[in-house]
Amino acid sequence: MMNKITERTTKALNSSRRRFLENMGKCGLPSAFLRASPLATAILGSRYAQAATADKKFVLIYHPNGKPEDAYGGGGTVNINSTALKPLAPHASDVAALEMTISMPGNHGNLWLAAGASSYNSQDVKSNSVNVQASNVLGNNTPFRSLQLGVFSGDNAGTEPTSGSQTAGIDRLKGSPLAREWNSQRAIASIFRDTPAAPSPGDSGPSAFQRRLSAYDANMKALDALERKLGQDEKSKLANHRAAVERLQKRAQAKQDEFLASQSGGGTGGSTGGGSCGAPSVSPVGNSALTEYKAQADVAVAALKCGLTNVCSIQFSETQASWKPNDGTADAVTALNAGQDHHNGGNHGNPAALPDILAYMNKGVAHLIAQLKQEDLFKDTVVCVISEMGEGINHLSSHGPITVASGINGFRAGAKRVTNSHTDVFADVFTLLGLESSVGGGQVGNYGTGGIVV
């Protein structure tokens, strides 16, 4: 099977070096491939060179309906040990807990505006949400350009999203909504469906692992052809190029072996502990939104670790915040009864319960950060949590909850109120990711000068 895939991949590649290397990026090669190659660095120019500066990763998260004005501590301050933020306190040195103005509040809609997609012109980079903007660069070298995950993000908790709720989601590509997978079990089946073995009869095609290995095989065949046409100086560069490809090929083969072992019970079988690359094991969700949140976080971390993507989004609930915080678990918000949701029961029924509701959601963020650290990914990752409202009880734009977490050098943690528009933090996110704004021909939108967390 692999030989046939390799043959098809080889035929699809143009023999010229520019076309060849561009196609390598589209075949899902990791950024290390382009970074390791002297030829690639010289040929591809800013778009791929920018993506190859490091194996950076980005996770965008949405929490619905803002927060009360003083939920982060009151008195004009933000306290990481406040009830709402306390789940993040163990990561205080790596977290910026911010209170900012939500510049484009959705008021139960237009979540994509809060995610930086302010244009409907498909030629405008800002017709994409910020995660999609980042994926247009960071996703050039991965099988999945980006992954869109959801947690109880249908019209009501636990129900299938309709076309309307998809339209109200945070993810935008050229002005159009991107569907998200709101169920962790289906996400695992979709993302990790293919074992690296040959597809079974009737399977739709090769796995992401197979595509990556076949691209390496095709690469080596193309290198053989190129070597016969190059001068001595270029042959010397080609030798370095070949050595880099061989190293990456061995690494990809090792990840395939790890995946097979995990699927057959010979590995750890999860995204944590032991270092194997494979689908995570998740617990039954039941009525617990937090259990599903942690499961989707595990899916995201496993996909990032396996090199299947560099960009994920996790949308917690939907714009009406219809999930039920009193879920019968140890994390339940007992100030609400089991039938009350976040929106009607909290924001417009019992606002005193909102700090506990915020803490419930932040436990999901804390779990994601912990898993990223355990898998040694946090040092290359930016996590950004947004909301479509500021002060959510009265649907105001002020006092909005924004969280940024990262282990990348240059990140500045802290808990503080910032008068800026929340979109200003996107400039810092892009700086941490090594991406340049559209001013001067960059690949992502211009959201100001930043200076908030870098």
Side-chain angles (χ1 to χ4, degrees):
M1 179 66 186
M2 183 60 74
N3 288 338
K4 291 182 180 179
I5 300 171
T6 301
E7 289 175 7
R8 290 199 298 268
T9 305
T10 304
K11 290 178 181 178
L13 296 175
N14 189 293
S15 60
S16 75
R17 283 170 287 178
R18 176 184 293 274
R19 185 68 175 162
F20 166 67
L21 288 170
E22 287 178 346
N23 280 331
M24 286 299 97
K26 294 174 184 177
C27 283
L29 296 179
S31 58
F33 168 82
L34 297 173
R35 193 169 65 250
S37 168
L39 289 176
T41 302
I43 291 170
L44 292 181
S46 62
R47 184 179 183 191
Y48 288 108
Q50 186 170 308
T53 57
D55 294 322
K56 300 291 182 65
K57 298 167 178 61
F58 180 35
V59 182
L60 179 70
I61 298 174
Y62 162 78
H63 286 175
N65 291 191
K67 69 171 186 61
E69 178 177 343
D70 291 332
Y72 276 6
T77 63
V78 175
N79 181 2
I80 193 68
N81 290 306
S82 62
T83 297
L85 292 172
K86 197 166 185 177
L88 299 174
H91 306 287
S93 62
D94 300 307
V95 168
L98 308 171
E99 186 177 282
M100 303 185 70
T101 298
I102 307 301
S103 62
M104 294 187 176
N107 285 334
H108 299 307
N110 302 334
L111 275 63
W112 61 92
L113 291 173
S118 57
S119 173
Y120 294 94
N121 176 2
S122 63
Q123 302 304 309
D124 184 350
V125 68
K126 288 189 178 180
S127 65
N128 306 311
S129 49
V130 289
N131 55 314
V132 174
Q133 292 176 41
S135 75
N136 285 336
V137 182
L138 300 179
N140 280 314
N141 310 311
T142 56
F144 296 95
R145 187 174 288 277
S146 64
L147 294 176
Q148 291 75 233
L149 306 174
V151 177
F152 283 26
S153 57
D155 291 328
N156 294 287
T159 64
E160 186 78 22
T162 66
S163 59
S165 65
Q166 294 286 12
T167 300
I170 62 172
D171 306 292
R172 279 291 185 275
L173 173 62
K174 296 185 176 180
S176 298
L178 288 176
R180 59 190 176 275
E181 181 47 76
W182 69 281
N183 180 286
S184 59
Q185 297 288 343
R186 287 206 304 264
I188 290 170
S190 173
I191 298 166
F192 299 93
R193 68 169 181 84
D194 334 279
T195 65
S200 59
D203 198 349
S204 60
S207 72
F209 291 93
Q210 285 179 315
R211 290 194 299 271
R212 177 168 290 187
L213 283 169
S214 69
Y216 286 129
D217 291 341
N219 191 325
M220 298 302 284
K221 289 179 181 293
L223 289 175
D224 290 339
L226 279 171
E227 190 170 21
R228 293 191 292 270
K229 300 178 181 180
L230 297 177
Q232 190 59 45
D233 181 59
E234 287 184 310
K235 283 184 179 181
S236 176
K237 294 179 181 179
L238 193 68
N240 293 331
H241 184 93
R242 183 188 296 277
V245 172
E246 288 174 345
R247 288 194 300 272
L248 294 166
Q249 190 175 35
K250 290 178 181 178
R251 190 181 306 168
Q253 184 67 54
K255 283 196 173 184
Q256 171 179 281
D257 293 342
E258 288 177 359
F259 185 90
L260 282 172
S262 71
Q263 296 299 97
S264 64
T268 64
S271 67
T272 62
S276 92
C277 174
S281 298
V282 299
S283 302
V285 172
N287 295 321
S288 172
L290 182 56
T291 300
E292 178 69 345
Y293 199 158
K294 291 180 178 180
Q296 290 287 44
D298 288 345
V299 171
V301 170
L304 293 170
K305 179 181 179 182
C306 289
L308 299 179
T309 192
N310 284 327
V311 180
C312 297
S313 65
I314 301 176
Q315 179 173 319
F316 185 91
S317 192
E318 29 60 48
T319 191
Q320 288 295 331
S322 58
W323 68 282
K324 310 297 193 297
N326 191 347
D327 58 13
T329 70
D331 298 295
V333 179
T334 56
L336 303 180
N337 68 43
Q340 289 180 307
D341 64 21
H342 174 182
H343 175 231
N344 293 317
N347 284 56
H348 303 305
N350 185 3
L354 288 174
D356 288 327
I357 292 174
L358 291 166
Y360 184 108
M361 294 188 290
N362 279 329
K363 288 177 182 178
V365 182
H367 177 80
L368 173 70
I369 294 171
Q371 296 305 98
L372 289 168
K373 288 181 175 180
Q374 182 168 323
E375 299 297 351
D376 197 30
L377 298 173
F378 190 67
K379 67 181 186 300
D380 297 315
T381 304
V382 179
V383 178
C384 182
V385 187
I386 61 170
S387 185
E388 88 281 30
M389 294 185 195
E391 195 273 271
I393 298 172
N394 297 299
H395 298 195
L396 303 178
S397 59
S398 58
H399 307 292
I402 300 295
T403 302
V404 184
S406 183
I408 296 175
N409 288 337
F411 175 74
R412 186 171 67 244
K416 57 185 176 180
R417 281 186 170 176
V418 182
T419 58
N420 304 54
S421 159
H422 83 283
T423 58
D424 289 358
V425 85
F426 295 153
D428 285 349
V429 167
F430 289 151
T431 297
L432 290 166
L433 293 172
L435 308 179
E436 296 178 0
S437 78
S438 56
V439 175
Q443 298 301 311
V444 297
N446 178 18
Y447 292 97
T449 57
I452 299 163
V453 297
V454 294

